[in-house]
Amino acid sequence: MWPTGPAPRPPPSLSPGGPRATLVTAAARTGATRHPCRPLRTRGTTPPTATVTRGTTASAQASSRTWSARVGRRPVLLFSIIFILIFGLTVALSVNVTMFSTLRFFEGFCLAGIILTLYALRIELCPPGKRFMITMVASFVAMAGQFLMPGLAALCRDWQVLQALIICPFLLMLLYWSIFPESLRWLMATQQFESAKKLILHFTQKNCMSPESDIKGVMAELEKELSRRPKKVCIVKVVGTRNLWKNIVVLCVNSLTGYGIHHCFARSMMGHEVKVPLLENFYADYYTVASIALASCLAMCVVVRFLGRRGGLLLFMILTALASLLQLGLLNLIGKYSQHPDSGMSDSVKDKFSITFSIVGMFASHAVGSLSVFFCAEITPTVIRCGGLGLVLASAGFGMLTAPIIELHNQKGYFLHHIIFACCTLICIICILLLPESRNQNLPENISNGEHYTRQPLLPHKKGEQPLLLTNAELKDYSGLHDAAAAGNGLPENATANGMKSM
């Protein structure tokens, strides 16, 4: 999952007259104070390094999808791990902000490759009934690291030591090359039957099974197809599809809206206009955001279990839209009435409503972004799964990128920023109804399989009710009726256009 905590800050210069003096002077002018365990920053602002990091992650997701679809999951994962170790450890040796920002750019580029390949591998290795559960377990592990991060920062008390400490665990990921094999699903979908055969024989030896115990004749079928050349598909192929490209575009907009509006709610809760003593502390801010994300993941586990992927996404998007519209409209109305002395309303009432709507909005928007990424990984065919997944993750990165851009312009256009995303939530509610339901269904392997993921009714049909959309069998009957009518009047009088007899 995407991190929801504050982005790492640029290091001060080690020289006495470097950028550190400039930062201290700017902080003195704005009245900012520096906590001994946290970086220097003024409240309510995001440094340029956060913009670089989030923008790099967004662009890297779009780039990593091509390499992962072309050369496979394992090579991209190994390449990303090696170079994130190099750039991450070099960041700890930065002597100025320029060097720090440049190295962080390449570090974020490699991190995007790790996130993308691990997400695709998890989806492809799990059976249909366990995919969402395993994804949520991975999200909880990521949040555990987020909760531990302030404690590690307090223990290290030096950003260079902290940077080296959080990069060293990537050394353990080098073992993934020997633990995790290449995705057999991807090898079969791209017709790399020679590599698939070797991998199946490797599994057979590891499980102490005999190759002669192949009851279904899989190896015999592979032997027949070994002469076929590998066929790798580019993500551009979805442009010629009828349904698949629409599903990916809808999920990209959902991801962009969910992660983009999340910052609007966070700023409303912790901005200058809300004066709550609890939210004036850095650690309270950090753990509040992390706790809301944790509660959102817990709610997703329950909602998706009962409503499915599409129903859960629709419910959380409706909550996001309601929280956004009420915050924009109702709070302005309360602000007008609070100006009258006889109204009985004060600014504290407005602040309490703002905090409530912000918490609900952050809760729902986090679920919208996470479900959009997971939904795309399920409905995108295996041959282009990393491509579709990279597009949705890149959209999420661009949504988060709008936050530091607005703050770099001294909050100019923030209200319009919130209104635009609020309008996008209304559009997304309509578009979600066009998505298919992927719960307990096999992953599509090629583009033709992905095209068969068509829209189903949100609610099940009542017993005896005729569905509005005809099935394939009914379509054949429909075309057959016309043929019979052209040949002669051989149809009974009570036959209807879709082959059903009227009662």
Side-chain angles (χ1 to χ4, degrees):
M1 291 295 108
W2 286 89
T4 55
R9 307 292 179 239
S13 175
L14 299 181
S15 59
R20 179 180 177 84
T22 306
L23 292 174
V24 173
T25 304
R29 291 176 182 174
T30 56
T33 58
R34 185 173 186 268
H35 192 278
C37 297
R38 86 176 186 192
L40 178 63
R41 66 170 291 189
T42 56
R43 183 174 178 80
T45 60
T46 301
T49 311
T51 309
V52 173
T53 303
R54 295 175 184 178
T56 303
T57 306
S59 59
Q61 299 287 2
S63 176
S64 298
R65 70 175 190 261
T66 304
W67 290 104
S68 185
R70 288 289 178 180
V71 302
R73 281 58 164 150
R74 290 181 75 210
V76 174
L77 181 61
L78 181 64
F79 175 87
S80 302
I81 293 173
I82 292 175
F83 278 92
I84 200 174
L85 286 170
I86 296 174
F87 292 121
L89 293 176
T90 311
V91 166
L93 305 177
S94 302
V95 295
N96 52 46
V97 177
T98 303
M99 181 179 178
F100 179 87
S101 301
T102 304
L103 292 174
R104 284 285 296 177
F105 178 90
F106 292 106
E107 183 185 1
F109 198 93
C110 299
L111 182 62
I114 295 176
I115 294 174
L116 182 67
T117 52
L118 286 181
Y119 207 106
L121 281 172
R122 281 199 305 266
I123 294 295
E124 293 175 355
L125 290 176
C126 296
K130 305 294 183 181
R131 288 195 296 256
F132 187 74
M133 181 188 68
I134 297 300
T135 302
M136 286 294 100
V137 170
S139 300
F140 290 135
V141 172
M143 288 181 183
Q146 187 176 345
F147 276 97
L148 291 176
M149 186 60 67
L152 292 177
L155 291 176
C156 295
R157 305 187 66 87
D158 188 350
W159 71 269
Q160 293 174 321
V161 177
L162 177 63
Q163 175 68 22
L165 184 63
I166 61 178
I167 287 296
C168 287
F170 282 99
L171 290 170
L172 300 176
M173 295 186 67
L174 292 174
L175 299 176
Y176 283 13
W177 182 262
S178 58
I179 296 176
F180 289 100
E182 182 58 87
S183 173
L184 182 60
R185 185 184 297 272
W186 177 76
L187 292 175
M188 296 291 290
T190 54
Q191 300 181 6
Q192 302 183 56
F193 298 117
E194 184 67 34
S195 301
K197 178 184 176 182
K198 294 179 181 179
L199 189 57
I200 292 176
L201 292 176
H202 175 71
F203 290 156
T204 304
Q205 295 175 359
K206 286 289 184 180
N207 295 328
C208 300
M209 297 176 62
S210 175
E212 286 75 15
S213 60
D214 185 11
I215 302 176
K216 297 183 178 181
V218 176
M219 298 302 296
E221 292 293 332
L222 279 177
E223 291 289 344
K224 298 177 182 178
E225 303 293 339
L226 289 180
S227 59
R228 301 181 63 177
R229 297 181 60 183
K231 184 179 179 181
K232 299 178 181 179
V233 182
C234 182
I235 185 63
V236 183
K237 293 291 185 180
V238 300
V239 178
T241 60
R242 183 179 180 181
N243 300 312
L244 188 58
W245 73 270
K246 299 176 185 178
N247 297 336
I248 295 178
V249 169
V250 169
L251 292 173
C252 285
V253 176
N254 286 342
S255 179
L256 175 68
T257 304
Y259 282 101
I261 204 172
H262 187 86
H263 167 73
C264 298
F265 291 120
R267 184 188 176 277
S268 298
M269 185 175 67
M270 296 178 289
H272 293 284
E273 71 276 11
V274 181
K275 302 299 181 183
V276 180
L278 178 63
L279 299 178
E280 291 295 324
N281 182 268
F282 169 79
Y283 294 103
D285 291 352
Y286 185 91
Y287 282 113
T288 299
V289 174
S291 300
I292 292 174
L294 178 61
S296 177
C297 287
L298 292 174
M300 276 193 292
C301 297
V302 179
V303 172
V304 172
R305 178 179 177 85
F306 291 98
L307 299 182
R309 278 64 159 155
R310 185 178 56 168
L313 183 59
L314 179 62
L315 175 62
F316 287 118
M317 184 61 79
I318 291 175
L319 290 177
T320 305
L322 288 176
S324 180
L325 295 176
L326 289 175
Q327 191 173 51
L328 291 173
L330 184 61
L331 293 184
N332 288 333
L333 183 63
I334 293 176
K336 292 181 180 179
Y337 277 102
S338 63
Q339 296 177 357
H340 300 284
D342 298 335
S343 62
M345 295 184 180
S346 61
D347 291 338
S348 61
V349 177
K350 180 181 177 181
D351 293 343
K352 291 179 181 178
F353 274 108
S354 178
I355 294 175
T356 303
F357 293 144
S358 298
I359 292 175
V360 174
M362 293 173 66
F363 170 86
S365 60
H366 181 271
V368 167
S370 301
L371 276 178
S372 298
V373 177
F374 175 75
F375 209 160
C376 179
E378 281 196 324
I379 67 175
T380 307
T382 302
V383 292
I384 56 171
R385 177 162 295 115
C386 285
L389 194 57
L391 288 175
V392 176
L393 289 174
S395 301
F398 284 119
M400 292 189 294
L401 186 62
T402 59
I405 290 177
I406 292 294
E407 292 184 350
L408 286 175
H409 289 80
N410 297 322
Q411 304 298 336
K412 293 180 181 178
Y414 162 75
F415 187 74
L416 180 61
H417 176 228
H418 197 168
I419 289 179
I420 291 174
F421 278 118
C423 295
C424 289
T425 58
L426 300 178
I427 298 174
C428 290
I429 290 175
I430 301 174
C431 294
I432 289 174
L433 298 175
L434 303 177
L435 294 174
E437 177 57 58
S438 59
R439 180 171 59 175
N440 294 329
Q441 295 192 31
N442 294 324
L443 294 176
E445 303 299 338
N446 48 46
I447 292 182
S448 61
N449 295 145
E451 280 290 278
H452 292 161
Y453 268 67
T454 54
R455 179 179 63 88
Q456 299 90 18
L458 188 63
L459 299 176
H461 294 294
K462 296 181 180 179
K463 188 175 181 180
E465 182 181 1
Q466 180 181 350
L468 298 178
L469 299 178
L470 299 179
T471 62
N472 293 333
E474 290 173 337
L475 288 174
K476 293 179 181 179
D477 295 338
Y478 181 79
S479 60
L481 289 176
H482 283 281
D483 295 336
N489 295 329
L491 291 177
E493 295 181 357
N494 58 350
T496 58
N498 59 357
M500 302 294 294
K501 294 183 179 182
S502 58
M503 302 301 293

